[in-house]
Amino acid sequence: MYSEKVMDHFQNPRNVGDLENPDTVGEVGNPSCGDIIQLFLKIDDEVITDIKFKTFGCGAAVATSSLTTELVKGKTIEEALRISKKDIAEKLGGLPPNKMHCSNLATDALKDAIDNYRGEDE
Amino acid sequence: MYSEKVMDHFQNPRNVGDLENPDTVGEVGNPSCGDIIQLFLKIDDEVITDIKFKTFGCGAAVATSSLTTELVKGKTIEEALRISKKDIAEKLGGLPPNKMHCSNLATDALKDAIDNYRGEDE
Amino acid sequence: MNEIYLDHAATTPMDVEVINTVNKYMEDYYGNPSSIYKTGQIANNKLNEARKTIAELINANDFREIIFTSGGTESDNLAIKGAALALKDQGNHIITTKIEHHAVLHTCEYLEKHHDYEVTYLDVDEKGFVKIADIKEALREDTVLVSIITANNEIGTIQPIKEIGTFLKNKDVYFHTDAVQAIGQIKLNVQEINIDLLSASAHKIHGPKGVGMLYIKKGTKLVPQLNGGAQERNRRAGTENLPGIMGFKKAVELVMENRQKYVEKNSYLRDKLINGIEKSIDDAVLNGPRGSKRLSNNVNFCFKYIEGESILLNLDMLGIAASSGSACTSGSLDPSHVLLAIGHSKGTAHGSLRLSLGKDNTEQEIDFVLEKLPGIIQRIRDMSPLYIKEKERS
Amino acid sequence: MNEIYLDHAATTPMDVEVINTVNKYMEDYYGNPSSIYKTGQIANNKLNEARKTIAELINANDFREIIFTSGGTESDNLAIKGAALALKDQGNHIITTKIEHHAVLHTCEYLEKHHDYEVTYLDVDEKGFVKIADIKEALREDTVLVSIITANNEIGTIQPIKEIGTFLKNKDVYFHTDAVQAIGQIKLNVQEINIDLLSASAHKIHGPKGVGMLYIKKGTKLVPQLNGGAQERNRRAGTENLPGIMGFKKAVELVMENRQKYVEKNSYLRDKLINGIEKSIDDAVLNGPRGSKRLSNNVNFCFKYIEGESILLNLDMLGIAASSGSACTSGSLDPSHVLLAIGHSKGTAHGSLRLSLGKDNTEQEIDFVLEKLPGIIQRIRDMSPLYIKEKERS
Ligand SMILES: Cc1ncc(COP(=O)(O)O)c(C=O)c1O
Ligand SMILES: Cc1ncc(COP(=O)(O)O)c(C=O)c1O
């Protein structure tokens, strides 16, 4: 079902956990849907210097979280926001059709974190 | 499907054919139903002295015709009329459920022949 | 006594390679294809491989257009009920023919009875062909489905399926064809023919019993008829029969490999049988067309003045397995609807014999049948009151 | 790595004796049971032998009350649609439960949508039991059918089926039970229980996939759902899958021979698993009852704060095959309807794990699972935002 890359991220997730004093936090999902992703970010001069995640969810949710953190670490906020769910799915070697919605979650959580950072919490 | 007795009568039908100057003839069925039985009888002083049949029909129709001729030969008309379709079916070791109607035909043809003989062709 | 099996249109012996395949999958692949653990995923991949092979057989565009069922009957039921119900808002009229298999006819009757559909049963000509003009005339605003058998199981008539598909193109109706008898013998191209739904069954091509498939062209709406789990992309519930399906795949591979060879061999034997019977038996009427528009394995005659079951029983005593459209073989009173549709009287229709060839039949077997059949027919005719009457008449 | 297969409720590996039986019939019995020649008649006799064995398993009065289908799903569909439509004139109300298999639930929904039936879905208590009082209350003048699963496939609850049958006796409704999970483990007596319709499936008892059966008590009216040929006494069309059916027969024979032995063994392993998990893992909630009212092979837990698919993937990496009622394993958003029905929140229901035992599971396998599972659960919890939150709260 899952590609090797998904399984690699699922088995060895990068950047799991939380940060002590994050500059911002993003969260999407809720337990009834079966997915929650939390991202904790350190941001220094528009650059994401550190990032960690916590995920309640399926294999795809964990793997997309893990890859997202890996991809954005060291990037500027602008660069990070340019990463699309499609990029994520592709970099993971594809996701099963019924799991595509999971690949939205990590990018949504990132957007939420950055919105919070910028105070645009609409 | 058929019992050994049915198959025996089907393979070696007794009294097939017709009689030159029958005292009476009975016939039931028609080609659309897939069954026709004709019986040809010689009757002497109320006794069936000879009988032959012709049958268009399935294995059960042939076997019941054959057995019927065998059973009634030498019997009086009264005795012959007492033979029921149930007797026939039983003596043949049973008939498949969907062939029960065939076992009526030979006794019906016999009744027809005797009715004709007695001039009761209603 | 060796059996001479001449009822391949009813069912075929499994090919030894198919048996070995089923065996392998029974032993080693028990995983549930809907599960995420490895044995399940492996099973799922195998299922999709089988879809690919079958897609190739009929030139489907995408393997996901193939779903598996329990046989030709279920495929016909799903196609017809499923499509009709899905298009209910568009209309409730169905067009089919008088010579469909009961799996189509009785399904249409079910829709008439339980869902108020109207069904037009098209006449066929005396060889069993449907006319495009008749389809044209029958088409209505509210027609949602046309279902026409690719090749008839009783008399072997191969319909002008491509012309029908072309005619129906761009008409707002689904086109279903029952290709159960056809797939082993005719190269079908669903994209070219413009077919929306196509039924097939494994056991007619030396595959396992209890396995069938339905081709569902992408975008075709269908209301599932077996409700339950999410298998087959929600179109047919029930744990997938992987060993059977892999046997079907193998049988299809063998068809693609050997079809031409067997069609040539069987056409020859078929014509030998037909010519031999016509030469040696009076009042024998060939049912269905001759030549390339007839299934290569089908021989069907009506022998006047006699009834079919007696012929079968006599053949069986000699080890020859065949079938008949006689009502008496089915327990009903009406003989084959197909033989009536091509214009026979009930009486004549009762006296039919179908001999259907398979890949392993030999010329010796055919010679044996040709040697024995005339005597059998004569013996039964001698018993028949109709035969005498006819002779007296002349 | 050897697989530890703990998903027997989904499907079971075929017994080697069953495989050999299927094999034998694939090789030697290709005749069409509806034909009158010898190979056909022999096949037909074999079919009836299989009916007899299955009749014996459930103590049916007559082997003709058993018909064969393509599996549990088809049996459920036929029983429910067939009976409901046959009694249409009498009413259009059906009673079932919230914890039926989808083969029953989605069939009921089909009847709601396409035939205007009304369906009452009974609540169950927190262990999954139906209450007779609730059935009583739900019964109406126009109720035609009550369908209640004998034993639940997810949480193993065995319903008081005899009490239900006794209660329904002399009420003018049909009683159907889905015994797919039950027949391998529970001795059922359809006459004593007063059942009209009972569904079962071969592949759940080490038999072949794609074969099922429906018990239809004599006199029970049923509108056939697969229309076509006259097979199965006009109740289910389609060429009979004799090899599969004979495999089913063999599997049933093995059940009758070994049931008690396996039930004892599995009950022991089941309780070891349950106790071990409860001892070693916090916030693990057993779903379903304990003891003799639970299927001997069923273990089902909700592990709070985590999601089921992650558990399955982690187990799979260790070669352990299991299943979950998590929505993510099915591609929908809603987790198991059964877990919701027994009162779990969606969040908790997402974190379920079902381990279902089979005849070949060993104590070592269970020990291995007990050794590994706590670490897996902890690892996933450590990743979970919910777990932290809960801990902070306390
Ligand atoms: C033309 C046709 N359609 C449908 C069927 C039904 O197929 P099955 O017996 O596999 O259900 C058959 C064979 O019986 C057939 O010949
Ligand atoms: C209780 C129950 N009913 C019905 C079914 C459906 O059976 P099958 O997959 O054989 O169609 C299953 C298994 O999936 C089941 O567990």
Side-chain angles (χ1 to χ4, degrees):
Chain A
M1 182 165 78
Y2 288 131
S3 68
E4 268 175 48
K5 286 210 182 110
V6 171
M7 285 311 289
D8 174 45
H9 276 276
F10 178 75
Q11 282 174 260
N12 315 294
R14 322 334 181 212
N15 309 308
V16 188
D18 46 20
L19 293 175
E20 284 263 311
N21 291 306
D23 292 317
T24 183
V25 175
E27 176 173 327
V28 293
N30 66 60
S32 354
C33 302
D35 292 290
I36 303 175
I37 295 184
Q38 280 179 354
L39 294 179
F40 307 87
L41 284 79
K42 285 270 188 201
I43 297 179
D44 201 355
D45 196 11
E46 292 290 287
V47 171
I48 299 168
T49 56
D50 202 0
I51 180 166
K52 296 263 182 193
F53 80 90
K54 291 228 158 181
T55 291
F56 162 86
C58 65
V62 172
T64 51
S65 306
S66 166
L67 178 68
T68 303
T69 61
E70 200 178 54
L71 284 179
V72 304
K73 202 162 165 177
K75 290 230 163 54
T76 64
I77 288 177
E78 280 315 308
E79 287 166 341
L81 283 175
R82 250 179 270 132
I83 296 169
S84 71
K85 60 191 177 187
K86 209 169 134 250
D87 298 334
I88 304 277
E90 270 169 19
K91 284 213 161 60
L92 284 170
L95 283 170
N98 60 355
K99 297 286 187 177
M100 289 310 289
H101 97 277
C102 304
S103 65
N104 289 348
L105 294 172
T107 46
D108 287 353
L110 184 70
K111 183 152 188 313
D112 185 55
I114 290 169
D115 285 351
N116 291 339
Y117 180 68
R118 293 192 169 151
E120 302 165 15
D121 11 5
E122 43 66 80
Chain B
M1 179 166 77
Y2 288 130
S3 68
E4 267 174 49
K5 286 211 183 108
V6 171
M7 284 311 290
D8 174 43
H9 276 277
F10 178 75
Q11 282 175 260
N12 314 296
R14 314 349 173 206
N15 309 308
V16 189
D18 45 22
L19 292 176
E20 283 262 313
N21 290 307
D23 294 316
T24 184
V25 175
E27 175 172 329
V28 294
N30 67 60
S32 354
C33 302
D35 293 291
I36 302 175
I37 295 185
Q38 282 179 352
L39 295 179
F40 306 86
L41 284 79
K42 284 266 187 202
I43 298 179
D44 199 355
D45 196 12
E46 291 292 285
V47 172
I48 299 168
T49 54
D50 201 1
I51 180 164
K52 296 264 180 190
F53 79 90
K54 291 229 159 182
T55 292
F56 163 87
C58 64
V62 172
T64 52
S65 307
S66 165
L67 178 67
T68 304
T69 61
E70 200 178 54
L71 285 179
V72 303
K73 203 161 162 177
K75 290 228 166 53
T76 64
I77 289 177
E78 281 316 306
E79 287 165 342
L81 284 175
R82 251 179 269 132
I83 296 169
S84 71
K85 60 190 178 190
K86 211 169 133 249
D87 297 333
I88 304 277
E90 270 169 18
K91 284 215 163 57
L92 284 171
L95 284 170
N98 59 356
K99 298 286 185 175
M100 289 310 288
H101 96 278
C102 303
S103 65
N104 289 347
L105 294 172
T107 45
D108 287 353
L110 183 69
K111 186 155 183 314
D112 185 54
I114 291 168
D115 285 352
N116 290 341
Y117 181 67
R118 293 192 171 150
E120 302 164 13
D121 11 5
E122 41 66 83
Chain C
M1 188 171 65
N2 262 332
E3 192 185 43
I4 298 179
Y5 187 71
L6 289 171
D7 201 16
H8 291 86
T11 192
T12 55
M14 285 173 76
D15 193 284
V16 57
E17 287 190 54
V18 173
I19 295 179
N20 291 342
T21 303
V22 174
N23 228 342
K24 176 174 137 191
Y25 283 87
M26 290 198 293
E27 280 169 6
D28 299 337
Y29 293 82
Y30 58 88
N32 174 15
S34 307
S35 303
I36 67 169
Y37 42 78
K38 276 179 216 82
T39 40
Q41 288 300 306
I42 292 171
N44 193 42
N45 293 341
K46 290 291 171 188
L47 266 185
N48 286 337
E49 283 175 26
R51 288 186 225 283
K52 279 174 197 149
T53 301
I54 290 167
E56 195 188 325
L57 177 76
I58 57 172
N59 196 36
N61 184 43
D62 186 333
F63 71 96
R64 281 165 296 201
E65 296 175 323
I66 307 299
I67 72 162
F68 294 108
T69 69
S70 66
T73 298
E74 190 192 328
S75 297
D76 285 341
N77 274 258
L78 172 55
I80 294 170
K81 293 177 187 165
L85 292 175
L87 299 185
K88 193 164 56 186
D89 294 341
Q90 194 182 308
N92 67 344
H93 179 239
I94 295 171
I95 297 173
T96 186
T97 78
K98 288 196 175 147
I99 60 158
E100 299 297 312
H101 189 270
H102 280 154
V104 167
L105 286 182
H106 292 165
T107 298
C108 287
E109 287 161 15
Y110 180 96
L111 287 173
E112 290 176 311
K113 174 142 187 227
H114 294 283
H115 291 275
D116 283 331
Y117 280 76
E118 280 177 52
V119 182
T120 300
Y121 300 92
L122 297 177
D123 285 322
V124 294
D125 69 16
E126 78 289 350
K127 299 292 175 209
F129 291 108
V130 172
K131 278 180 273 338
I132 308 270
D134 289 346
I135 303 176
K136 196 166 184 171
E137 206 184 296
L139 263 184
R140 310 190 322 205
E141 269 290 297
D142 59 350
T143 307
V144 289
L145 175 70
V146 176
S147 178
I148 292 177
I149 191 168
T150 318
N152 184 268
N153 49 305
E154 291 191 39
I155 59 173
T157 310
I158 301 170
Q159 299 298 337
I161 209 77
K162 191 161 166 219
E163 286 72 22
I164 299 172
T166 307
F167 167 71
L168 291 173
K169 197 159 188 158
N170 303 325
K171 308 257 180 317
D172 204 12
V173 296
Y174 285 154
F175 178 29
H176 167 250
T177 190
D178 174 340
V180 168
Q181 294 289 337
I183 56 157
Q185 302 182 48
I186 304 168
K187 205 164 171 358
L188 290 170
N189 182 330
V190 288
Q191 295 188 70
E192 196 184 278
I193 305 180
N194 189 39
I195 289 171
D196 301 299
L197 297 151
L198 178 145
S199 309
S201 187
H203 72 97
K204 306 277 184 183
I205 55 166
H206 303 283
K209 298 189 207 303
V211 186
M213 72 91 177
L214 182 64
Y215 161 76
I216 309 172
K217 187 190 192 160
K218 200 177 164 195
T220 305
K221 288 181 215 133
L222 212 62
V223 175
Q225 295 298 305
L226 280 192
N227 309 114
Q231 292 93 348
E232 301 296 306
R233 320 179 95 232
N234 278 309
R235 301 192 135 176
R236 197 274 182 184
T239 304
E240 302 89 339
N241 172 7
L242 185 67
I245 288 166
M246 295 310 283
F248 192 5
K249 175 184 198 293
K250 173 53 79 181
V252 164
E253 283 166 6
L254 293 171
V255 162
M256 294 195 277
E257 210 175 300
N258 302 314
R259 182 165 43 204
Q260 210 183 334
K261 190 170 75 192
Y262 293 141
V263 165
E264 278 167 26
K265 186 209 71 160
N266 281 339
S267 301
Y268 168 76
L269 294 182
R270 174 195 70 186
D271 293 341
K272 181 163 192 183
L273 258 175
I274 292 177
N275 296 333
I277 289 172
E278 290 186 326
K279 210 173 292 170
S280 61
I281 305 178
D282 277 348
D283 289 338
V285 186
L286 178 70
N287 297 313
R290 290 170 205 268
S292 67
K293 288 182 174 172
R294 180 181 199 102
L295 282 176
S296 66
N297 74 335
N298 176 289
V299 173
N300 189 317
F301 275 95
C302 280
F303 297 104
K304 291 194 178 172
Y305 326 124
I306 61 177
E307 189 274 338
E309 193 197 275
S310 319
I311 312 175
L312 299 188
L313 289 172
N314 275 288
L315 288 171
D316 187 38
M317 288 180 225
L318 298 172
I320 301 166
S323 89
S324 168
S326 158
C328 252
T329 63
S330 65
S332 82
L333 276 182
D334 282 324
S336 154
H337 61 284
V338 175
L339 297 177
L340 297 181
I342 60 172
H344 283 303
S345 70
K346 284 191 184 179
T348 302
H350 277 294
S352 75
L353 173 69
R354 180 184 70 184
L355 302 166
S356 49
L357 300 153
K359 69 184 177 69
D360 295 324
N361 287 124
T362 63
E363 186 150 11
Q364 287 93 302
E365 291 178 331
I366 298 316
D367 289 337
F368 182 76
V369 172
L370 284 174
E371 182 195 323
K372 296 295 179 188
L373 192 59
I376 290 175
I377 301 297
Q378 194 54 51
R379 182 171 172 272
I380 305 172
R381 282 184 174 168
D382 284 341
M383 248 192 260
S384 169
L386 296 173
Y387 188 52
I388 305 301
K389 278 182 187 160
E390 288 290 328
K391 293 287 125 167
E392 278 167 0
R393 247 179 249 163
S394 64
Chain D
M1 186 173 66
N2 262 333
E3 190 184 43
I4 299 179
Y5 186 71
L6 289 171
D7 200 16
H8 292 86
T11 193
T12 55
M14 284 173 77
D15 193 286
V16 57
E17 288 190 52
V18 174
I19 295 179
N20 292 341
T21 303
V22 175
N23 241 327
K24 177 173 134 189
Y25 283 87
M26 290 196 294
E27 279 168 8
D28 298 336
Y29 294 82
Y30 59 88
N32 175 16
S34 307
S35 303
I36 67 168
Y37 43 77
K38 277 178 216 82
T39 41
Q41 288 300 305
I42 293 170
N44 192 43
N45 293 340
K46 290 291 170 188
L47 266 185
N48 286 337
E49 283 175 26
R51 288 186 224 282
K52 279 174 196 149
T53 303
I54 290 167
E56 193 188 328
L57 176 77
I58 58 172
N59 196 37
N61 184 44
D62 186 333
F63 70 95
R64 282 165 295 202
E65 296 175 322
I66 307 298
I67 72 162
F68 294 108
T69 69
S70 67
T73 297
E74 190 192 327
S75 297
D76 284 341
N77 274 258
L78 172 56
I80 294 171
K81 293 177 188 165
L85 292 176
L87 300 184
K88 192 164 59 183
D89 292 340
Q90 193 181 310
N92 67 344
H93 179 239
I94 296 169
I95 298 173
T96 186
T97 78
K98 289 194 174 149
I99 60 157
E100 299 298 312
H101 189 269
H102 280 153
V104 168
L105 286 181
H106 291 165
T107 298
C108 287
E109 288 161 14
Y110 180 96
L111 287 173
E112 291 176 310
K113 176 142 185 230
H114 295 282
H115 292 275
D116 283 332
Y117 281 76
E118 280 178 51
V119 183
T120 301
Y121 300 92
L122 298 175
D123 285 323
V124 294
D125 71 15
E126 78 289 351
K127 298 292 176 212
F129 291 108
V130 172
K131 278 180 274 322
I132 307 268
D134 289 346
I135 303 176
K136 197 168 184 167
E137 207 184 291
L139 263 184
R140 311 190 319 206
E141 270 289 297
D142 59 348
T143 307
V144 289
L145 175 71
V146 176
S147 178
I148 293 176
I149 191 167
T150 319
N152 185 267
N153 49 305
E154 291 191 38
I155 61 173
T157 309
I158 300 171
Q159 299 299 336
I161 209 78
K162 190 160 167 219
E163 287 71 19
I164 298 172
T166 306
F167 168 71
L168 290 174
K169 197 161 190 154
N170 303 324
K171 309 256 182 315
D172 203 13
V173 296
Y174 286 153
F175 178 29
H176 167 250
T177 190
D178 175 341
V180 168
Q181 294 289 334
I183 55 156
Q185 303 183 47
I186 304 168
K187 207 166 169 358
L188 290 171
N189 182 331
V190 289
Q191 295 188 68
E192 195 183 279
I193 305 179
N194 189 39
I195 288 171
D196 301 298
L197 296 152
L198 179 145
S199 309
S201 188
H203 73 97
K204 306 278 185 181
I205 55 166
H206 303 284
K209 298 190 207 304
V211 186
M213 72 92 179
L214 181 64
Y215 160 75
I216 308 172
K217 188 193 194 157
K218 203 180 161 190
T220 305
K221 288 181 215 132
L222 212 62
V223 175
Q225 295 299 303
L226 280 193
N227 309 114
Q231 291 94 348
E232 300 297 306
R233 319 178 97 235
N234 278 309
R235 301 189 136 180
R236 197 274 184 187
T239 303
E240 303 88 341
N241 172 5
L242 185 68
I245 288 166
M246 295 310 284
F248 192 5
K249 174 186 199 294
K250 173 53 78 183
V252 164
E253 283 165 7
L254 294 170
V255 162
M256 293 196 276
E257 208 175 302
N258 302 315
R259 179 165 46 202
Q260 210 183 335
K261 191 170 75 193
Y262 292 141
V263 164
E264 277 168 25
K265 186 210 73 164
N266 280 339
S267 300
Y268 168 76
L269 295 182
R270 173 195 70 185
D271 293 341
K272 183 164 190 181
L273 258 175
I274 291 176
N275 296 333
I277 289 171
E278 290 185 324
K279 211 173 290 168
S280 60
I281 305 178
D282 279 349
D283 290 337
V285 187
L286 178 69
N287 297 312
R290 289 170 206 269
S292 66
K293 288 183 175 170
R294 183 183 196 100
L295 282 177
S296 66
N297 74 335
N298 176 289
V299 173
N300 188 316
F301 276 96
C302 280
F303 297 105
K304 291 194 178 172
Y305 325 124
I306 61 178
E307 187 276 337
E309 193 197 275
S310 319
I311 311 175
L312 299 188
L313 290 172
N314 275 288
L315 288 171
D316 186 39
M317 287 179 224
L318 299 171
I320 301 166
S323 88
S324 168
S326 159
C328 253
T329 64
S330 65
S332 82
L333 276 180
D334 281 322
S336 155
H337 61 283
V338 175
L339 298 176
L340 298 179
I342 60 172
H344 282 303
S345 70
K346 284 191 182 179
T348 302
H350 278 293
S352 76
L353 173 69
R354 178 184 71 183
L355 302 166
S356 49
L357 300 152
K359 69 185 176 70
D360 295 323
N361 287 125
T362 62
E363 186 149 12
Q364 288 92 299
E365 292 178 330
I366 299 314
D367 289 340
F368 183 76
V369 172
L370 285 172
E371 182 196 324
K372 297 296 180 186
L373 192 60
I376 288 175
I377 301 297
Q378 194 54 50
R379 182 172 172 272
I380 305 172
R381 282 183 173 167
D382 284 342
M383 248 191 259
S384 169
L386 297 172
Y387 189 53
I388 306 299
K389 278 182 184 159
E390 289 289 326
K391 293 288 123 164
E392 278 168 358
R393 249 179 246 160
S394 66

